[in-house]
Amino acid sequence: PEGRPGECALAQWGPDGSDASPAPVARLVPSFGPGGAMEPAAGSRSLSGVEVTAGKKVKCELSLVQRHGEYELVIRSREKEPPVQENIPVNNRFKYVQGTQQLPDPLSSSLPEAEETLLIDIATNTGCKIRLQGDCTAERLFEFPDEEQCVGFFTEVLRVQKAQTKVSFPDLVDHASWHQVKGLSGPAEPPAAGILGFEDNFSAMSLEKKRNLHNQQMSARREPPPPPLPPNRPCLREKEAVVSKDQPKVSNTMRMLFVPNTQTGQREGLIKHIIAKREKEYVNIQNFRFFVGTWNVNGQSPDGNLEPWLNCDPEPPDIYCIGFQELDLSTEAFFYFESTKEQEWLTAVERALHVKAKYKKVQLVRLVGMMLLIFARKDQFGHIQDVMAETVGTGIMGKMGNKGGVAVRFVFHNTSFCIVNSHLAAHVEDFERRNQDYKDICARMSFQTPDQSQPQLTIMKHDVVIWLGDLNYRLCLPDANEVKALISNNELQQLLTYDQLNIQRTQKTAFADFTEGEIKFIPTYKFDSKTDRWDSSGKCRVPAWCDRILWRGGSVNQLQYRSHMELKTSDHKPVSSLFLIGVKVVDERRYRKVFEDIVRMMDRMENEFLPSLELSRREFSFENVKFRQLRKEKFQITNNGQVTCHFSFIPKLTDSQYCKPWLRAEPCEGYLEPNETVDISLDVYVSKDSVTLLNSGEDKIEEILVLHLDRGKDYFLTISGSYLPSCFGTSLEALCWMKRPIREVPITKLIDLEKSLLEMVPQDSEDSGDRPLHVPKEIWILVDHLFKNACHQEDLFQTPGMQDELQDIIECLDTTIPETIRILLEFWSGASPHLSASSSHP
């Protein structure tokens, strides 16, 4: 946040561009020179490397030192005369950002369209890259050749930060203004006991003590919490690229300091839930202007003023959302996430914003060539909170960032927004791949809230979603001349009937819940660069509306939807839309009154009533569960008590999670008003993380869920069923012993086979001629088919397959064997040892 000196953030990346995990390191013991000057003690760790600035590498050194009991991070540039040194305090506002990578959660509601694709780690052997950024200094990039030393050094920084923050923690709580959202620089709520005027162990007190405490507290003024933000919902999380932002993410260590006491948290959570239910009593709808723009710049640098695009309306917008695609097509951007084009286009945008208002950058996020910028008017910047950014790559191997999406979510006043900028798969015939990219982004894009005890946010769990970018949907007309003739005759509406995006939306295969304004501008792709002339290359691309802006949510009114033909830098033309969006603005006086009413009601009811639930069913059966096929069973719970209650699925005494990895309850927790009913879905999905134990018989489709009611009793749900084994998740050694499809092998034999192979026990067979295959028949079938049918297919191993086709392949390998292969297996099984050793067949 602005105006806080010494507030910085560190982000660390490993050699493959992913976040590096910390490793243990010896404690640093700095010493001091004469006069209290900072000097690292003998044997203390420092970090030598280079700073990358303006395309040059300057030798530098980072060290952690201590003076008067406080730590500072010292940066010394060794090639400058005189040597330059910067000191950054490691105080309670210092933030060490350390990301984590996590594969997609296979039980997302969008499954199974986009669960698992092959992940290839590309090691670049370039050591560690560190970005230092914050209000105290402009963003700076450092490279360190010794990865182990680098990880160790910043582990110590994390330890010092944790210790320093604990010491200074009481200073962080501003009791006079804690109800105002602090953003990422401090706790959203104070962790101290009695935030709402109650002790932490309120629920555990005796009835008499509660009443006495209540009487004492009624004379004191209670400060209401901040207005509740839109509810969070669970989903998955993935981080794949460098995210640069003005407000760095808080580290896990910092978050731990702000987790409220469990009992206090339950009461506060209930109060917030009721406040959210009564939101209409204290909010007003106020309209704000949002400018949304998208441009595929084809790897070019800005060569002119962007004002015809960004400053084309008489009144200044309140919020700018600007997306770029193909910002940088270089190898460096693809593999190392570094790009000089980022700063070039950022500067060009900042210079072209509306002249009638002053703006401040809210967030910047980039994944290879996709970049999203969010700006807000300075007079509205303080009303933006909970800013988070994420990226998803769907390109090569289904993971790389040449295609995919970047997103920024934030809360403006009391309305949540998610802005998505995407670049989907190219080529006219690949509309299904574009649909899959959309589903992948929806399934894998999620945001971790600062409070890690809260579930993650998905794209669709926001009040307003704006999706922009080069969506790459083309026209289902192969003749470019015919399309150009229709454009010349201004028959755009007829042409739009052939638009793939419109067709897919009508068929509800992609963007089904989104709205797009009426298109009155000519296609924005493809032009000869620097001209207004349609593509004259040998490919002679058919013109298309590749660049689009769609939205989802209420109170959204589109004022303008247009292209900007005067900008000729790229082979695409930029597109923009101007929205008037109704935002929920809190009336503080009315909000305070609602809060006080709720607290009085809870004080009165808390000791008079106990919560109670009614379940529509408690036994569930899932028969013939298959690998990567989602199965659902639903039931209802009803609050048949007289008070609002909080329910949640909790782990059993010996477990760390409330269910096995192949099971998920959605929602897994929530609040219910009296007589309110909610549907709960039990989802069974066997992913690559759980298939091995099910195949080997070590796990079964059996589970008992504990549904816990705060201040009430527990309810037990029984899950049973059967699982159909799959060759996926079975060891290669075991498959070599199977001459039949795995579904035809008795489950007892599968268990014995895996157990004996694990214990290295020789296999006994009634037929002495029965020997293991040299290679699993399933792999032989796949390779044989590829050799016969796919040797000349372009990008065979770079483009992930369609999910429905993949499921058909799995089912085929698990249940059948082609007749020719069966004959070969029978022949080989009966062949002599000499013949089998020389045979080219498995």
Side-chain angles (χ1 to χ4, degrees), residues 598-615:
I598 292 171
V599 171
R600 282 194 295 268
M601 176 192 69
M602 290 191 63
D603 289 340
R604 184 177 65 255
M605 299 180 66
E606 187 161 22
N607 299 316
E608 298 177 4
F609 303 101
L610 290 177
S612 175
L613 284 180
E614 180 181 344
L615 282 66

Side-chain angles (χ1 to χ4, degrees), residues 815-833:
T815 58
T816 61
I817 297 180
E819 187 61 27
T820 53
I821 304 300
R822 189 183 295 273
I823 293 173
L824 288 172
L825 288 173
E826 293 173 356
F827 167 77
W828 185 84
S829 297
S832 66

Side-chain angles (χ1 to χ4, degrees), residues 323-340:
F324 293 96
Q325 306 84 42
E326 294 190 4
L327 188 84
D328 195 333
L329 302 177
S330 67
T331 304
E332 289 77 15
F334 187 80
F335 286 104
Y336 307 118
F337 305 112
E338 297 175 4
S339 174
T340 58

Side-chain angles (χ1 to χ4, degrees), residues 10 20 91 151 156 435-436 530 549 560 563 573 808 825:
L10 287 171
N91 53 23
V151 172
E156 180 63 13
N435 296 346
Q436 188 66 51
K530 315 296 182 183
I549 298 172
Q560 297 285 346
S563 65
K573 298 297 182 182
D808 290 341
L825 288 173

Side-chain angles (χ1 to χ4, degrees), residues 317-321 353 357-363 373-384 410 412:
D318 297 288
I319 304 290
Y320 272 102
C321 308
L353 298 179
K358 298 295 183 182
Y359 293 91
K360 185 173 181 180
K361 184 175 70 175
V362 175
Q363 189 69 290
L373 294 166
I374 308 294
F375 290 89
R377 287 179 59 150
K378 284 193 173 182
D379 57 352
Q380 296 296 334
F381 186 83
H383 299 292
I384 293 179
F410 57 89
F412 184 40

Side-chain angles (χ1 to χ4, degrees), residues 295-298 300 527-530 568-572:
W295 194 8
N296 182 321
V297 297
N298 193 32
Q300 304 298 311
F527 296 87
D528 291 337
S529 294
K530 315 296 182 183
K568 305 176 183 180
T569 305
S570 170
D571 56 353
H572 290 247

Side-chain angles (χ1 to χ4, degrees), residues 185-235:
S185 64
E189 301 172 25
I195 293 176
L196 296 176
F198 305 106
E199 291 186 9
D200 285 346
N201 59 346
F202 186 88
S203 299
M205 293 181 186
S206 65
L207 178 60
E208 181 179 359
K209 189 173 181 181
K210 286 182 180 180
R211 287 172 176 168
N212 292 337
L213 178 62
H214 169 67
N215 292 334
Q216 296 170 10
Q217 290 166 341
M218 285 305 293
S219 61
R221 181 177 180 81
R222 296 190 181 100
E223 196 69 37
L229 303 181
N232 302 341
R233 298 293 173 86
C235 190

